[in-house]
Amino acid sequence: MRVGTVWRLGVLTVGMLLLSGPLPAADGTGFPYHLVRRIALPAAGAVHALLFDPRTRTIYVAQGPRIEGYSLAGARLVLQRRLPGTVSALARTGTGQIVAAVRTPAQLVFLSPRTLAVTHRRTLDLAKPAALLYDRKAHLLFLESRAGATIVRLDPASGRSLGQVRVPGTPGEMAGNGRGTLYVTNAARDALEVIDARSMRRTGSIPLSRCRAPSGLAMDTIGRRLFVGCANDRALIVDADLGFTFVRLPIPGGPRLRAAFAFHPFGAHGWKGGVFFAGATAVAGIQMQAFIRYRNHGHLPLPARCSALTLVAPVGELWLALASSARARPVIWVLGASRSEAQ
Amino acid sequence: MNRCISGVRILAGVVLGVLIGLPPAQAALAPWSALAGKTVLFVTGGPRAPQPNDDARVARYLRQLGLRVRTVDARVSPSAAHGTALIVISSTANAHALGDKFAASPVPIFTWNTFDYPNLGMTGATLHRDFDVIDPVQHYADSFSVLYGFGANITSEISRAVGLRPQLFGTLYLEPQTAGWGDPGPGGTVITDFFGSRHYAGVFTYEREATLADGRTAPARRVGFYLGSDNFHLLTAVYGPPAQDPNLRRWAIGLKLFNAALRWALSPPPPEPTYDPRALDAALRQAARGKRVLYVERVNGGEGRRSDAHTVAHLRRLGFTVTVADQTAPQRIARGMDLIIISSTCSKWKLANKYIDVPVPLISLEGLLSDVLHFSGRDRYTDYGEHGELRESVDPPENYLNIVGAWSPMAAGLKPGLVKFTDHPGVLKWAWPLPDATVIATLPNEPREDAIFGYPKGARMAGGFIAPARRALLPLDNPSFDQMTPQGKALFDAVVLWALGR
C-alpha cells in the first residue's frame, strides 16, 4: 500500500471517530475517566497519602517513610524526602507549606513545597496519627488519631495543639465546611460526627440511614453538601444545613472508601461538579448536575485496593494509589478525562 | 324503672360532660407502641407503576414503624380491607381502576392519590378546581411553590403533634416537586395549605361521621396528603446539630406531618355521640354547678327582650349563676366569669371591640359580630352574612341547618344532614371561619356559610388572632330562642357545654 493511501485512510478513520461522538468509557459503564498512565513505585509499602499542590504543580506521594514529588507535566519524579517514620497523612496549609503526619514516633513535620526540606517539626502526644485535613477557608488544621479516637486542632503554622475532642467509635475521613464545623465519618455508629472546630466540642451526630460503616467523606467547596461513601456500596449526599440525606445512589467500591470532590473537575465546560469514591474494587463517579441533583456516572474496576486518591482538577486527572496488600509494590493509576467530559 | 332510666341518663350525662371537657392533650394520638402489629393495606400501582416511585420505601418505612404491610394494586377487591387497620393509597395506583371501591369502607384511609379524592368523596370532582396535581413538567413555577406549605390549623391533634404554627414550612426537599392538593368540603379539616389559600389543602382530614365533599358521611377517618409518587424520601426532616435550631425544627416537618397524620388515621376516633337531650341536659346541669355566666344584651331593648329573658331563664334553670350586662357595660365586668354569651340584641356598633381578648369562653348568638370577634374575615356577604334579613340579604329566610360535624359533641348527637333548627323560617346568620374552627352546621345548600362552629383555645382566628379561650358561633336571632325546635335547643345546650370545656 502506498504511503499516501495509508495517510488518507488514517485521516478518514480519525474523522469518522470524531464524528461518531464521544469516546466510550474504558469499561463501558460511562465512567468519565480512563487510564492514561501507570506509575509503578519501586518499593513495597502502602501509599497512605496523595496530595496535589496547584502552586508547584506537584503531586506528593507518601509511601512508608518517604515523600516523593511528581511533576504534573510528565509525572516525573522530581523530589524525594525520607522522614523518621511512616507518613500517614499529608496536607497543604494556606501558606503553601506541606505538612506530614508521621505515625511513629508521632510527629508533625513541616516541609518546603519546592524542595521538601524540613522547616520544623513538632512531637505529638497522640497515638498513631492517621489523617490530616486543612480547611482552607477557615484556616484550620486537623489531625486525626483513629487508634486514639481523637481529633486535634492544630495551629497551621507551628503545629501546636489548640484543642482536641474524642470521637468514640471508628472515625474515618474528615471534611470541613469552611465556617468552623468539622464532619467526620464514624463507621461504628453509621453516622457523621459533627464537631465545632473552634471549641473542639462534639455538637452531635447526623444519622446515616441505611449506610453501613461510612468511611469516605468529601464536601463541596461551598460547605453545603456532604458526600458519604458507605461499605454497603452506597453513596449518600447530605444537606449539611439540615443533616438531611436527600440522595442515595448505589456505587461499587467495597469498604474503606476514599472520597474527593471538585467543582468543574474537567474544566470550565465539563461537569458542574463531581465526587469520586474509590475503594477495594472500583472507583465510582457521581455527577453534580445541580446543587440538588446528582446522578451515577459509572465506575471503573480497580485491580487492587485504593489507599489514597487525589483530584488534579486543573488538568482533569484523578490519581489513585493501588496496592493488593501492605507488602505489595503499589502502583499509581493516573486517570485522564474522557474526551466527552473534558470538552 | 323510671328512676333507673333517669340514673342511667345522669351517668350518660356525666360521661358526656367529661368527654366534652377533655383538653386536647388527653385526646392525643395513640402512641406507636399501641399501633404496632396493626395491618395496613397498601394500594399501589403494582409492578406496572410509573417509575421511579417510592412505594417500596414507604412500605419499608411502615414496617419500620411496626406495622404489617400487605401491598396490593388497584385491582384489589374492597373485601381485602377487612381486618386491616388502615388503607394507604399511593398515587401510583390507577385512580380510575380504583373507582369508589373504598369509599364506603369502614377502615380509615390515608391517601396521596389526588385523583382518587373525588372517588372517596373527599373533594369535588372537577380537576383544577376541586383538586389538582402540580408537577414540574406541566406547572414548573408552581412546582417550586409547593415546596412551601402553610400551617392552616394549629389545634388539631395532628397539628399539635407536629407543633404546627401559622407560618410557612418546608414540605419537600428543595427541587421542584410533584404535589397534590384538594379542596375539602365543610366537614373537612384543613391542616396545611398551599398558595396562601385554604382551598388548596395539602394535608386535610375528615373525622368519622364528618360530612364529605359529596354530601356522604365519612365511614371512618380519611386523610389526604400532598405527596407525589416519588418524593416520600424527600419529605423534610432535620437531624443532628441543625435540629437544635428551633426554627429549623419547625421548618423541616414534612416527615413529622406524615407520621402524625398516619398516627391520627390509625388512632381510634372519638365515640360517636348519640342524640339524647335528657343526657345532655344532665351533663349541662352537672357542668353548670358553681359556674358564672355573663349574658350581654341590649338591656330594655325592644325586639328580642322576651327571647333574652327566656335564654337567661334557661341558663338559670340549668344551675348557672347569670349576670345580665348591657352592651355598653365595660369589659371588666367579665372578670371571674366562666362563660360569656353575647345576645343578638346587642348592637355591633355599641358593643365596640369588647370581649375580644377576654380569656373566658365566649358564645356569640349574633353572626354579624363575626368580623369584630375575629371569627371570620371582614368582608360582609363574603366572610359572614345572613339569610332572611329584609333589605339586607338576597337569601330567603331559613329554619334548617345542615349538620356536617356530627362527630363533634357540639352537634348534640344529631345525625349528619338537615335538621330543623327553628319552627319557622327566619333570619339565620353565618360566617366562614378559619381552618382551626370545628364546623358543626352550615346553612342548607351553602357549604361555605357556616352557622355553628367553635374555635378551641389557642386556635388561629381571623387576622392572626389567637383564641384566648373557646369561641363559638350559634346564630340565634332576636326572637329565635322561643322558636327553637328540640333539636335546636339540643344544639344550643351542646354548644354551651362544649364552651365550658378547657
Side-chain angles (χ1 to χ4, degrees), chain A residues 81-104:
Chain A
R81 177 68 54 193
R82 188 177 183 89
L83 296 181
T86 299
V87 179
S88 55
L90 293 172
R92 182 175 160 268
T93 70
T95 57
Q97 278 212 301
I98 305 300
V99 188
V102 176
R103 188 172 291 176
T104 314

Side-chain angles (χ1 to χ4, degrees), chain A residues 203 210 239 241-242 292-293, chain B residues 60 173 175 239-240 242 244:
Chain A
T203 55
R210 292 186 287 126
D239 181 322
D241 296 332
L242 292 171
I292 50 173
R293 193 176 289 275
Chain B
R60 188 168 52 233
Y173 187 74
E175 55 186 316
Y239 301 101
Q244 291 161 15

Side-chain angles (χ1 to χ4, degrees), chain B residues 84-88 105-110 219-223 264-267 269:
Chain B
T84 63
L86 180 69
I87 302 168
V88 174
S105 176
V107 177
I109 295 176
F110 181 105
R221 288 182 163 181
R222 302 290 190 246
V223 177
W264 182 82
L266 278 162
S267 299

